[in-house]
Each structure stands twice: as structure tokens, then as C-alpha cells.
């Protein structure tokens, strides 16, 4: 499309833009007093997945952790480049995990980390949830 083909419709464009403005305004208002769990996944770009921990092994027993016990209002996935992030309400993330996630076991016991269990979800599934148009 060339610039000359675009015919702005102020009323239509204003209504469409207002949806995003209202969302950001609502989010920032809700953010005050809210908690945000922030994760930086250094492999998401290569794999297309985000790892969501739900259990960890402690002295031979599996105990709930991560998303399974989170009291956060939002989850934020920050890019390792430091230029942006995707934030999603925790209940929506839980729904993405339950509807699209693949169970995985991350065997990484070492003196500084534990084996964990969780789910791999596609970055695109989170983006779809954030950007889908239900109306």
C-alpha cells in the first residue's frame, strides 16, 4: 500500500487506538500495588519457547514452585537485549500453560541449581493471547 492509498478515518482510527490506550492506562493503574514476576529467557529467541517452572526437587521430593505458587498479578518476559518485554496477567499465562504447554523436566542439579519441572510454551502462544482480537 502506498501513502496515497491510505485514507484515514479519524473516528474509526481513534476508536481502534483508544483500545490500546485504555489497556495501557488500565495496566499502569493496576500495576501500582501489584506484583510482577519477571523472567529473562536467554534461549527463547533460538527455541521459540518460554520455560515456565511449576515444581522443583528438594532433597528428593518434588515441591510446587514458580507459577504453581506464584502470587504475582503479572508475568513479564524480558528480552535479554534489554530493549523490550511482554507482560501478561498471571491468570492468562496459566491458561496458556494449561491449553498449550508441554510438560518438561529440566535436569540441572548442581551446587547452585535444582532439577525442575514445568512447561514449555511457545512465545507465539503468549503473543497470540496478548494480541488476539476477541471483538
Amino acid at each position: 500500500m502506498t501513502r496515497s492509498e491510505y485514507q484515514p478515518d479519524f473516528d474509526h482510527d481513534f476508536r481502534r487506538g483508544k483500545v490500546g490506550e485504555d489497556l495501557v492506562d488500565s495496566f499502569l493503574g493496576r500495576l501500582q500495588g501489584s506484583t510482577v514476576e519477571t523472567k529473562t529467557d536467554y534461549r527463547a529467541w533460538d527455541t521459540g519457547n518460554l520455560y515456565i517452572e511449576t515444581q522443583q526437587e528438594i532433597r528428593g521430593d518434588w515441591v510446587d514452585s514458580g507459577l504453581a505458587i506464584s502470587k504475582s498479578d503479572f508475568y513479564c518476559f524480558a528480552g535479554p537485549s534489554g530493549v523490550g518485554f511482554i507482560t501478561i496477567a498471571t491468570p492468562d499465562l496459566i491458561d496458556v500453560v494449561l491449553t498449550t504447554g508441554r510438560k518438561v523436566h529440566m535436569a540441572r542439579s548442581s551446587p547452585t541449581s535444582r532439577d525442575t519441572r514445568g512447561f514449555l510454551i511457545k512465545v507465539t502462544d503468549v503473543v497470540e493471547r496478548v494480541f488476539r482480537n476477541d471483538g
Side-chain angles (χ1 to χ4, degrees):
M1 169 171 74
T2 65
R3 242 187 192 316
S4 63
E5 293 172 337
Y6 176 69
Q7 297 298 315
D9 177 344
F10 178 78
D11 291 339
H12 178 72
D13 292 345
F14 177 78
R15 283 189 307 275
R16 290 174 58 92
K18 187 89 170 100
V19 169
E21 290 174 12
D22 290 347
L23 173 65
V24 170
D25 187 49
S26 170
F27 168 72
L28 293 175
R30 287 177 56 201
L31 193 57
Q32 188 170 356
S34 296
T35 55
V36 180
E37 181 76 29
T38 302
K39 301 295 182 185
T40 306
D41 189 326
Y42 283 79
R43 299 213 43 234
W45 177 257
D46 296 326
T47 66
N49 297 311
L50 295 165
Y51 175 63
I52 310 298
E53 179 184 314
T54 56
Q55 291 186 313
Q56 62 179 296
E57 186 179 22
I58 299 177
R59 293 182 288 286
D61 293 321
W62 287 99
V63 297
D64 287 345
S65 63
L67 186 62
I69 63 169
S70 178
K71 296 191 182 340
S72 69
D73 299 299
F74 298 95
Y75 261 68
C76 179
F77 299 98
S81 63
V83 300
F85 54 87
I86 299 170
T87 303
I88 185 169
T90 300
D92 289 303
L93 177 61
I94 290 170
D95 190 56
V96 170
V97 167
L98 293 176
T99 58
T100 69
R102 288 184 298 127
K103 288 183 179 184
V104 293
H105 173 206
M106 301 294 265
R108 51 184 165 181
S109 287
S110 75
T112 59
S113 67
R114 298 185 166 117
D115 279 13
T116 62
R117 290 179 182 160
F119 294 83
L120 287 179
I121 58 172
K122 293 184 180 303
V123 173
T124 54
D125 289 337
V126 175
V127 171
E128 178 184 342
R129 176 58 59 98
V130 170
F131 286 99
R132 75 177 179 211
N133 183 0
D134 290 337

